[in-house]
Amino acid sequence: LYYELRREVLVWATHLEPFFAVAGEHDLDETFAAAFLSSQAIGDLTPYKNIHAVSPAHYFVIREGQVIREPHWEWMVRNRFSYDSDAEYDEQFFHLFQHAVERRTGPGAPVLAELSGGIDSSSIVCMSDYDRKAKGATPADLIDTISYYDDSEPNWNEKPYFTVVEEARGKIGTHIDVSSQSSTFEPPAAQYLWPGPDGRTLLAEQQLEDQVSPKGYRAVLSGIGGDELLGGPPDPLPELADYLVSLQFRTLLRQSFSWGLAKRVPLLYLVRDATAFIVQMYTWRSRVALVFPVWLSDSARRIAARREIQRLSGQRIGLLPSTIDSGLTWWSIMETLYRPVKRLLARREYRYPFLDRDLVDFLLRVPMNQLKRPGRRRLLMRRALRHIVPIEVLERKRKAYVTRGPAIALAESKRQLLSLMTHSQLQEHKHINELTLQSALASFNALSDKDSHGHMMRAIQLELWIRRQASNRGLSRFCSQEKEQ
């Protein structure tokens, strides 16, 4: 839900287009540009000045031109669950997860489920199948799936995993090739209201709709949130920090020793790192240092740094370090959810079973050693779903991330990108240092610099988007206007 205050008038809409029907011109929001270019979470920002999104888990009160934001749910929990056995945790998780999926796949228009081959999306599909088969459904009655793959990525071959799930359920889904090496690095062919699309996006979207639109799907199920909330990252520090704060030194030493063996890290290093973790949690610092791209302008850096401090502020005294970390993790997920405004041809609702409020409240209260233990991540989930999810998927390693394709595409398009970033709109608006960015592009190596390609892609995407916006005068004025003679 988006809103804008215009003097004494409140304009609100589910999508961004109505704002331009009421008033056609909107300047680029500087805070959004700084956050986007530094790869920060966008949160309630939009690319347009004065247009904001309603924050997740909050309600807004607007009175006399003032906006008051209040949470309607507290994700920094103070109490933990304590059951007598692992089986009780498993049963409760299974029950809540089943209801989370059922709530999002009930009667109505057809629902399409993303099936990536990872544990999260596979668990959603398998739980839906479990529920429907219990009611007598045949394979044809099971939920439809869509799977994305990229054969050019050696570390992202998901086909073997999502096909295992398809074989187990007896139903083949739609498969889409999403290779990133076909990027055009040209402005999008249509007027997208969000940066990210390029010259190939509309064609790719049309090809997708040719396959899925005839069935009239209203919503898409996504597995976002499962990895972060269910102990995906094998990180012992939140648990060890809790023992340290609670003065449980014997348990701290025992668990540090076990984790040290599993991770091959000296015990003293883990205790040291747990201490540093506590300082981070209680002093409003992010666990991940904010790293600015070298070409970001000084003004954009100041805006991004100030916003990061505001994002992390809040009351933390009296909470366990793991509670703070889990709450911040949940909030980060909510800030980075997929925004369907990136598409033009269809506006389907996205539903996230792992972000069901009842399920999240349970997971935030579960003891850390129920989610992961030394040498064993995703513990609770794997125990509870072992009878419905194929073992090949349930016991797979963490999914890799796509890095090779985008990096190669950048390296092979240097000449085009150097031309794009000459007299750039980003430089004109003082968001970047153009010469520094050009130097980084000229020296970019797909093998050695692949970790920095994300920042570069953000700059390219925003530049392409601004140029496309500027070409449509009826929508907005993002380029500088010529001075009147």
Side-chain angles (χ1 to χ4, degrees):
L1 183 64
Y2 301 95
Y3 71 95
E4 180 184 15
L5 278 175
R6 298 172 181 167
R7 297 182 180 178
E8 298 180 354
V9 177
L10 171 67
V11 181
W12 60 270
T14 304
H15 303 295
L16 288 173
E17 284 86 350
F19 294 94
F20 301 99
V22 176
E25 295 185 349
H26 286 81
D27 291 329
L28 175 64
D29 186 275
E30 291 186 355
T31 304
F32 171 88
F36 188 85
L37 291 171
S38 57
S39 300
Q40 280 185 322
I42 300 305
D44 61 355
L45 299 173
T46 75
Y48 309 96
K49 190 174 182 179
N50 299 325
I51 300 179
H52 298 277
V54 175
S55 303
H58 286 76
Y59 67 89
F60 279 21
V61 178
I62 301 176
R63 181 182 294 114
E64 297 180 355
Q66 299 296 318
V67 179
I68 301 174
R69 186 180 76 165
E70 295 288 347
H72 62 71
W73 177 64
E74 183 52 64
W75 52 93
M76 292 286 189
V77 300
R78 291 186 176 274
N79 300 315
R80 296 277 192 182
F81 288 128
S82 180
Y83 295 156
D84 294 331
S85 66
D86 291 347
E88 291 184 73
Y89 289 103
D90 298 350
E91 181 181 353
Q92 183 68 356
F93 169 76
F94 191 95
H95 170 75
L96 291 173
F97 183 50
Q98 183 178 15
H99 277 280
V101 174
E102 186 179 15
R103 285 169 177 164
R104 290 157 179 81
T105 57
V111 175
L112 183 65
E114 293 180 339
L115 179 60
S116 69
I119 299 178
D120 300 320
S121 63
S122 299
S123 297
I124 291 172
V125 171
C126 291
M127 180 58 80
S128 175
D129 291 352
Y130 173 85
D131 192 48
R132 294 190 179 202
K133 288 178 180 178
K135 300 174 182 177
T138 65
D141 300 323
L142 301 180
I143 195 170
D144 292 336
T145 61
I146 184 169
S147 301
Y148 304 97
Y149 68 95
D150 184 355
D151 287 338
S152 67
E153 287 285 346
N155 296 322
W156 198 64
N157 185 9
E158 296 300 302
K159 274 188 177 180
Y161 297 102
F162 66 69
T163 53
V164 164
V165 178
E166 290 178 335
E167 291 171 1
R169 64 197 307 257
K171 186 172 186 178
I172 306 300
T174 301
H175 301 172
I176 304 293
D177 186 351
V178 291
S179 174
S180 56
Q181 293 191 36
S182 59
S183 300
T184 66
F185 297 119
E186 295 176 352
Q191 189 67 57
Y192 286 86
L193 298 185
W194 203 269
D198 66 0
R200 67 167 183 148
T201 302
L202 184 59
L203 176 60
E205 195 177 342
Q206 289 172 334
Q207 293 172 342
L208 172 64
E209 291 305 315
D210 288 342
Q211 298 189 59
V212 301
S213 61
K215 295 190 177 181
Y217 301 113
R218 177 189 174 186
V220 178
L221 293 182
S222 170
I224 287 178
D227 188 58
E228 296 86 349
L229 293 172
L230 278 155
D235 184 3
L237 297 185
E239 178 189 353
L240 300 182
D242 285 356
Y243 298 139
L244 189 56
V245 169
S246 303
L247 305 181
Q248 301 179 49
F249 299 120
R250 182 174 299 179
T251 306
L252 170 66
L253 294 176
R254 183 178 66 250
Q255 289 300 100
S256 296
F257 182 76
S258 298
W259 277 105
L261 289 178
K263 298 179 70 67
R264 298 182 179 180
V265 176
L267 183 148
L268 291 179
Y269 284 18
L270 286 176
V271 175
R272 178 202 62 188
D273 293 343
T275 304
F277 178 83
I278 294 171
V279 174
Q280 290 175 330
M281 291 300 98
Y282 290 136
T283 57
W284 297 280
R285 295 182 187 176
S286 172
R287 292 191 63 186
V288 180
L290 184 60
V291 179
F292 295 115
V294 295
W295 54 83
L296 198 65
S297 68
D298 290 339
S299 60
R301 287 170 186 256
R302 288 193 294 270
I303 293 173
R306 182 168 61 248
R307 181 173 180 273
E308 183 70 2
I309 293 174
Q310 294 172 347
R311 282 183 63 249
L312 295 174
S313 62
Q315 179 58 254
R316 304 186 184 185
I317 303 301
L319 300 174
L320 289 173
S322 67
T323 294
I324 300 171
D325 183 56
S326 298
L328 292 176
T329 298
W330 178 85
W331 185 245
S332 296
I333 298 170
M334 302 303 289
E335 285 191 313
T336 55
L337 288 181
Y338 175 83
R339 293 179 180 271
V341 290
K342 292 181 179 179
R343 292 184 176 176
L344 285 180
L345 303 184
R347 295 292 173 82
R348 296 182 181 88
E349 174 189 351
Y350 273 72
R351 300 174 182 173
Y352 308 93
F354 284 108
L355 298 183
D356 180 271
R357 176 171 150 177
D358 291 340
L359 178 60
V360 171
D361 186 70
F362 169 75
L363 294 176
L364 293 179
R365 297 178 188 277
V366 167
M368 296 300 296
N369 62 9
Q370 284 293 327
L371 300 178
K372 54 191 171 184
R373 292 175 187 172
R376 188 66 171 162
R377 65 184 187 86
R378 297 291 197 116
L379 182 63
L380 174 61
M381 187 178 193
R382 284 171 164 163
R383 289 196 317 243
L385 303 182
R386 63 186 181 276
H387 298 306
I388 67 171
V389 179
I391 193 67
E392 297 91 336
V393 174
L394 199 60
E395 295 295 336
R396 70 172 296 189
K397 297 179 180 180
R398 296 193 74 193
K399 283 176 59 178
Y401 294 94
V402 179
T403 57
R404 179 178 177 273
I408 290 178
L410 282 175
E412 293 179 347
S413 304
K414 284 184 180 181
R415 181 174 300 179
Q416 177 186 356
L417 295 176
L418 287 171
S419 176
L420 175 70
M421 289 302 176
T422 300
H423 305 299
S424 68
Q425 292 295 313
L426 292 176
Q427 171 68 34
E428 186 172 340
H429 288 279
K430 300 180 180 179
H431 297 309
I432 66 167
N433 183 309
E434 188 174 278
L435 293 179
T436 306
L437 177 55
Q438 288 178 331
S439 176
L441 281 169
S443 61
F444 180 79
N445 184 293
L447 296 178
S448 60
D449 298 332
K450 60 183 181 180
D451 292 338
S452 66
H453 81 275
H455 285 312
M456 285 188 179
M457 288 296 297
R458 287 295 186 104
I460 294 166
Q461 289 172 351
L462 191 56
E463 177 68 22
L464 292 174
W465 183 75
I466 291 177
R467 292 195 179 203
R468 184 62 180 86
Q469 301 293 91
S471 68
N472 189 337
R473 296 180 180 177
L475 182 62
S476 56
R477 58 176 194 278
F478 285 91
C479 60
S480 299
Q481 302 296 319
E482 295 183 0
K483 293 182 179 181
E484 297 182 1
Q485 299 297 325

